[in-house]
Amino acid sequence: MQQQPPMGVKLSVDVEYRADFPNPHRARVRWFDPQSKKRLSRSEMLPTEEAAQAWVTRMKRAASRGVTPATATMSLAEYGESSWDLAMRGLEAKTMDPYGSGWRLRVVPTLGHLQVPTVTNGVIDRALYGWIADGHGRSSVKNTLAPLARVMQQAVRDGIIDVNPANVTGWQKTYKQAEDELDNPRSLALPNWEALETLADALVTRSADQFPGWGSVIRFAAGTAARIGEVSGVRAGDIDRRAWTWDVCRQTTPGPGGLIDKGTKGKRRRTVPLIPEIRELVAARLDAVGHDPTARLFTGPRGGRITTAILRDATHWNEVVLRLGYEHLRRHDLRHTGLTWMADAGVPVHVLQRIAGHGSLATTQRYLHPSTRSIHLAGAALSSYLSTGQQAVGPKPVPEPAQKPHLRIVR
């Protein structure tokens, strides 16, 4: 177990550049333990010297407030676990159950890997949009934000942060705004296949050892309009290589004790076409796993199951999409991308609904908003039609009955 320094300990600090590491700047704090008389330390590898200096400054400030470096560098999941009872004090038992579920099922998978000081307003905004996109209702979002706000408020009391970023006022308006954007998923989609290729290559380049499998996951998810959990769940036996279709029947998701495989969302089994753009990578994966129909088609570099959080961390997703100009792009938006492309390609709405696995046709119809190009094409088609002198097709006025001739008597 790592030793903890005493409260208010004096720290010595240094920043060292190590060129052979992906994050080459090592920030380190050291202190003497008054009981053991040993010199202890804690360090962090960071991408820039500015980030390293900011980390050192944060450690010094935390130590001056009586916060140990170990506590100041905890992840949100670790800090929440250690301070849960204190943060939730005064709540009734009936409130603790939904708060605990919101924390365990949404906060930890989405934000739990981050150190507490790095959980900013913008990070929470993106998380909120993600929960809404995943179909969680207002009550679920409320029971997720509330425990997050309490844990972050405890971090304020502990002196780890100055301001609680989870005190989201008027979040219902944010919810409505996010719903409005989701009503037009085109705003969440990548523009074309070239943009997808650029994103996939950039994520592979940024990952440790440039693992090419991350690029395959990105291309497959967008090309099939699938969720990342469904991509993780696909097995060799689910692929029909002759018809080039995928039988979507399971997904990988966090559960008690770790990752588990279960049925797809809504328990809706569906068949998805495998377009030529991804057939080569699918064929390569099938050849790699051999004749075992239960073998997973896509895994991490060590053969483990993939989740959206694992993909995010391994590829430094947030950093890459920000650099490419897609600040709000999330892994789930790969699904929005595929469905939007299919809608633009003219896939009938009832077919698109089956491919997407939507329970409601209204959900599928969100992808049918016409693009600017299709609007211009419609205008050009109408102008061309009218310029030929043709009459418009449609209801015509009923002609007035012919007037009967009047007889006039001449005397």
Side-chain angles (χ1 to χ4, degrees), residues 82-137:
S82 67
S83 63
W84 183 260
D85 292 338
L86 195 59
M88 302 298 148
R89 64 187 184 276
L91 292 179
E92 297 181 7
K94 65 179 182 180
T95 305
M96 290 296 295
D97 286 341
Y99 279 20
S101 296
W103 177 267
R104 183 179 66 258
L105 298 178
R106 285 174 286 279
V107 174
V108 172
T110 307
L111 305 173
H113 66 291
L114 300 173
Q115 290 185 2
V116 175
T118 65
V119 181
T120 63
N121 295 101
V123 168
I124 293 176
D125 285 343
R126 286 192 290 273
L128 175 63
Y129 273 66
W131 296 329
I132 297 169
D134 288 340
H136 299 295

Side-chain angles (χ1 to χ4, degrees), residues 16-294:
E16 179 183 1
Y17 179 76
R18 295 185 171 185
D20 296 334
F21 290 84
N23 294 324
H25 297 273
R26 187 192 69 171
R28 182 175 59 174
V29 295
R30 293 181 290 180
W31 66 91
F32 280 103
D33 180 56
Q35 296 181 354
S36 65
K37 306 300 181 183
K38 294 182 179 180
R39 196 175 198 187
L40 306 177
S41 68
R42 193 173 185 89
S43 62
E44 186 88 8
M45 302 299 294
L46 296 160
T48 65
E49 184 176 359
E50 292 76 12
Q53 292 293 349
W55 185 88
V56 166
T57 300
R58 193 170 75 244
M59 292 300 101
K60 292 173 68 175
R61 185 179 60 178
S64 68
R65 295 177 175 180
V67 180
T68 69
T71 301
T73 55
M74 276 184 176
S75 68
L76 178 61
E78 294 170 335
Y79 180 76
E81 182 179 0
S82 67
S83 63
W84 183 260
D85 292 338
L86 195 59
M88 302 298 148
R89 64 187 184 276
L91 292 179
E92 297 181 7
K94 65 179 182 180
T95 305
M96 290 296 295
D97 286 341
Y99 279 20
S101 296
W103 177 267
R104 183 179 66 258
L105 298 178
R106 285 174 286 279
V107 174
V108 172
T110 307
L111 305 173
H113 66 291
L114 300 173
Q115 290 185 2
V116 175
T118 65
V119 181
T120 63
N121 295 101
V123 168
I124 293 176
D125 285 343
R126 286 192 290 273
L128 175 63
Y129 273 66
W131 296 329
I132 297 169
D134 288 340
H136 299 295
R138 290 175 183 261
S139 179
S140 296
V141 172
K142 170 184 171 294
N143 291 327
T144 303
L145 288 175
L148 175 60
R150 278 182 163 263
V151 170
M152 297 305 288
Q153 188 59 39
Q154 184 60 43
V156 173
R157 288 193 290 267
D158 284 341
I160 299 176
I161 56 178
D162 295 323
V163 179
N164 185 349
N167 280 336
V168 183
T169 59
W171 67 269
Q172 290 85 352
K173 294 181 180 179
T174 305
Y175 192 102
K176 183 62 171 63
Q177 178 185 355
E179 283 184 323
D180 291 342
E181 289 188 9
L182 289 174
D183 282 340
N184 180 17
R186 192 176 311 281
S187 65
L188 305 173
L190 290 169
N192 49 48
W193 188 265
E194 289 74 20
L196 177 68
E197 290 280 1
T198 300
L199 172 64
D201 292 341
L203 292 169
V204 169
T205 301
R206 187 63 182 86
S207 67
D209 300 324
Q210 288 77 53
F211 177 58
W214 300 127
S216 298
V217 169
I218 298 300
R219 295 178 176 92
F220 187 85
T224 58
R227 304 173 180 91
I228 296 300
E230 294 170 341
V231 176
S232 178
V234 60
R235 302 189 182 185
D238 301 332
I239 302 296
D240 185 338
R241 201 167 184 170
R242 292 174 298 178
W244 285 113
T245 57
W246 167 29
D247 181 21
V248 187
C249 55
R250 75 180 64 81
Q251 63 177 332
T252 300
T253 184
L259 297 177
I260 59 173
D261 285 341
K262 66 176 186 178
T264 58
K265 188 174 181 180
K267 309 299 181 184
R268 288 182 285 272
R269 194 169 186 143
R270 64 189 194 273
T271 300
V272 173
L274 300 177
I275 61 176
E277 286 79 0
I278 61 173
R279 289 177 187 173
E280 183 177 351
L281 73 87
V282 172
R285 292 304 306 148
L286 289 172
D287 293 340
V289 300
H291 301 287
D292 182 6
T294 65

Side-chain angles (χ1 to χ4, degrees), residues 378-397:
L382 176 59
S383 178
S384 175
Y385 180 81
L386 295 176
S387 67
T388 62
Q390 299 288 335
Q391 292 184 354
V393 177
K396 297 179 175 60

